[in-house]
Amino acid sequence: MKYDLRGVCGSFDLRGEYVIGVPFGTGHINDTFAVTFDQSGTRVRYIVQRVNTNVFKQPEQLMENFERVTSHIREKIRLERAGNPATRHRTLELVPAKDGRPFVRDGEGNFFRCYCFVENARTYDILETPEQAFEAASAFGCFQNDLADLEGRLNETIPDFHNTVSRLAALERAAKEDRAGRLAAVGPELDFIRRRGADCSKLLDLQAAGEITERTTHNDTKLNNVLIDDLTGSGCCVIDLDTVMPGLPHYDFGDMVRTGTSPALEDERDLSKVVMRFGMFEALLRGYLAGAGNFLSPLEKSLLPFAGRLITLETAIRFLTDYLEGDVYFRIHRPEHNLDRCRTQIALVRSMEEQSDAMQRLTEEMMK
């Protein structure tokens, strides 16, 4: 292992004796480990993560957001939901460093954080039932609702993270520069994205006109970023809070649709398997609206089906950009991994476009 986890853990305010640390999860960006401590004969697990500072260039600001968000939700639970066992894992619980800060730097300059392991819950890369989709979407909707009264604007940990216009401009620069010599291989994918360029500014234009409102949002609502309780099957805790910052609620719902409606993995090479399952979309929509409450305007609600297409298109743009730049952002496991990911997103956009009228009708029915 390239990090001294025992030494890193020694700088956090952890009790007991360090037993072991092993890699954990399937994230693309940070290095994540499950570490086990022996506390008077009881084995207790924690999550330790090395934050990727090539991606998150101001990690102190990131951890300021992390601490503010989790503290706000914990206080809300204490005041509003006392005694409800369903809230026991409602938010992550940071373990501070021994110096009181919410992070540790090792001797090599690596940036680490630690939080309690949520036991008896798991994530799903592919949702298996509409009930799971409902619960996951409800958890994300509740997360937004919990933070609707958070005072003060959070730091932008990645500026323009969901600015689809900027993402498209970055793709065009990557295509023009063609650093990795791959442009000739991506003609159909680039054409598909360019034909939908007008969609990229729709939400931003409405925000600029004051017709939709900036909120505190998660901004990376892959369905494997919410823990599902093993016992109850309910969505119990939203995780991966690195991108919690100011944004539009549509970004969160759109990524739920992107990751929750297809039965295929994000990098599936058999594109015939990539479809938007309408039943899953319906479950996500019902769950999200149930969790988010009434803070969305009628116009914001009406834009939810479009958000699914937009964020899926944006993700295709991001994967294709990284492929053209030589795979410098997303972790890959094969030479054309990012191109495969891009093609999967494009196939899913097509499926959503074919069902867009039905998605819109369903949304309007739920708004009545």
Side-chain angles (χ1 to χ4, degrees), residues 13 30 45 57 60 105 128 144 155-156 182 254 274:
D13 189 17
N30 299 320
R45 290 195 291 176
K57 299 185 183 299
E60 291 88 352
R105 285 191 184 274
E128 299 168 356
Q144 283 187 359
N155 300 307
E156 290 190 63
R182 296 172 170 178
V274 183

Side-chain angles (χ1 to χ4, degrees), residues 80-150:
E80 299 178 6
R81 302 174 184 145
N84 183 352
T87 66
R88 67 191 187 280
H89 298 317
R90 191 72 183 203
T91 189
L92 296 175
E93 183 176 353
L94 278 171
V95 176
K98 289 180 178 177
D99 62 9
R101 295 186 299 176
F103 60 85
V104 162
R105 285 191 184 274
D106 70 6
E108 304 299 320
N110 294 302
F111 192 100
F112 291 89
R113 62 166 170 244
C114 177
Y115 51 87
C116 298
F117 194 103
V118 180
E119 300 286 359
N120 303 313
R122 71 186 70 185
T123 62
Y124 292 82
D125 288 329
I126 298 175
L127 291 181
E128 299 168 356
T129 67
E131 291 76 18
Q132 288 176 341
F134 177 93
E135 291 293 343
S138 178
F140 278 120
C142 186
F143 180 82
Q144 283 187 359
N145 198 39
D146 277 341
L147 295 172
D149 60 350
L150 180 68

Side-chain angles (χ1 to χ4, degrees), residues 163-165 197-212 248 251 299 303 306 310:
N163 185 323
T164 317
V165 174
D199 287 343
C200 294
S201 63
K202 183 173 180 177
L203 293 182
L204 293 172
D205 289 345
L206 288 168
Q207 181 185 2
E211 297 186 52
I212 59 178
L248 296 176
Y251 301 154
L299 175 58
L303 290 165
F306 169 75
L310 177 67

